[in-house]
Amino acid sequence: EMPFKLGGRSPKSGFDSPGFANYVLKQSGVELAEERNQFLSVSMMNQLKATEQPRPGDLMFFEGSTGNFVLFYLGIGKDGGPGVGAGHLNSNMLTGIYDTKQFAQKFKGYYQVQYPDEQP
């Protein structure tokens, strides 16, 4: 039950969706820099490689009302949706696991994360 805070970057102050994903990635040894004058989600997409074949742990980006939101891809979801994802969405939706069919029209793409223990 972490608080939602637009632009939030820490468990204490709260998170927005990209802030939560970036925090989890840092805990996993993946460092993504924030680019000046860019939404964090855009900075993340600029630094990761788009993929058509996501693996669990990759990121899924969606167009939101105040920027983009992001979830960790977990696997295939319901027909017509981009998959099942985990993340921290907004103040009305707790951190959790979601089938993203309801967001399918806002889907921007999958982005591959290279975790430190993986071979390139």
Side-chain angles (χ1 to χ4, degrees), residues 27-84:
Q27 302 308 305
S28 301
V30 177
E31 294 283 336
L32 297 176
E34 292 191 47
E35 298 170 340
R36 193 175 197 139
N37 299 319
Q38 286 283 6
F39 284 118
L40 177 56
S41 59
V42 173
S43 294
M44 294 168 84
M45 287 187 284
N46 287 342
Q47 295 172 71
L48 298 171
K49 182 180 173 185
T51 182
E52 294 295 322
Q53 299 176 339
R55 302 168 300 154
D58 286 344
L59 300 180
M60 313 166 66
F61 287 87
F62 301 83
E63 185 178 329
S65 58
T66 57
N68 302 306
F69 62 95
V70 59
L71 294 170
F72 287 92
Y73 177 79
L74 299 179
I76 298 170
K78 294 179 182 172
D79 287 344
V84 174

Side-chain angles (χ1 to χ4, degrees), residues 71-117:
L71 294 170
F72 287 92
Y73 177 79
L74 299 179
I76 298 170
K78 294 179 182 172
D79 287 344
V84 174
H88 189 69
L89 293 180
N90 63 43
S91 58
N92 298 323
M93 300 173 81
L94 298 175
T95 304
I97 298 172
Y98 299 95
D99 189 298
T100 60
K101 184 174 181 175
Q102 65 188 1
F103 312 128
Q105 74 280 5
K106 297 180 179 191
F107 183 60
K108 294 181 75 77
Y110 305 106
Y111 286 78
Q112 187 176 30
V113 177
Q114 189 70 45
Y115 291 92
D117 60 344

